[in-house]
Amino acid sequence: HYSTRERRLGYERAMAEAGLSPAATVRVVPPSEQVAVYDALLAVADRPTALIVRPEDLATVAYLAALHGLRIPRDLSIACIAGTAVYFAGMSVTAAIVPSDQEGIAAVEMLRAKIEAPDTLLPARRIPFRFADGETAVAPAAGDHVRSKARSPKSVIHQHQ
């Protein structure tokens, strides 16, 4: 999906603006392998300081983090991309909220324009997400073992089938 590419480019741009080198991995993860992938990701010393997951993966990631002795958000920040505000284990989850209503309005406007001028090429429209500043993501502590000057935070972008 094109949005995976756009998200990765946004991550890379933000890392460059922060003076850090991006370390993103993009791959398709079948649902049957998600637990093993997240578990392996959290088990290594050079683990990510943050994960962006789907709301339906919050429980899995939080459970695996706890098994590895990681506390959210002190040791591992978690954010998600969701259709509405998300709450998990009594915390508001840091999230990018998909503006479905605005996407619907734009889609109807574009459809009407296409009906009126079928041969006209319509440009893609970007509709910004709303940021929900929750309780599940914080900046890593100074001296955090993962965010040394020699290494940048890792990001893993998974596309689920």
Side-chain angles (χ1 to χ4, degrees):
H1 193 267
Y2 75 91
S3 66
T4 300
R5 182 178 151 291
E6 294 291 323
R7 289 179 192 137
R8 187 184 70 249
L9 291 173
Y11 159 76
E12 290 171 354
R13 185 173 41 254
M15 291 292 285
E17 289 170 5
L20 300 169
S21 299
T25 302
V26 180
R27 62 180 248 188
V28 175
V29 179
S32 62
E33 296 176 21
Q34 289 175 20
V35 170
V37 167
Y38 284 128
D39 189 48
L41 199 60
L42 297 174
V44 296
D46 190 22
R47 66 169 173 74
T49 57
L51 293 174
I52 300 174
V53 301
R54 302 176 309 157
E56 55 268 34
D57 295 333
L58 282 169
T60 300
V61 171
Y63 173 73
L64 292 168
L67 288 178
H68 290 285
L70 303 173
R71 290 185 286 180
I72 299 166
R74 193 195 83 180
D75 303 315
L76 178 69
S77 289
I78 298 177
C80 66
I81 298 170
T84 186
V86 178
Y87 297 88
F88 178 76
M91 294 186 287
S92 60
V93 177
T94 303
I97 306 297
V98 178
S100 299
D101 54 342
Q102 295 302 312
E103 289 176 335
I105 291 167
V108 170
E109 289 171 352
M110 291 176 77
L111 181 59
R112 291 182 71 193
K114 196 64 168 172
I115 289 170
E116 291 175 15
D119 296 328
T120 301
L121 181 62
L122 300 174
R125 292 168 102 177
R126 290 181 188 257
I127 301 172
F129 286 25
R130 182 176 62 80
F131 179 68
D133 190 10
E135 303 168 82
T136 60
V138 297
D144 182 299
H145 72 283
V146 177
R147 285 191 68 145
S148 69
K149 289 188 179 191
R151 290 188 306 228
S152 296
K154 292 169 73 175
S155 172
V156 178
I157 303 167
H158 293 289
Q159 290 181 290
H160 301 280
Q161 291 180 334

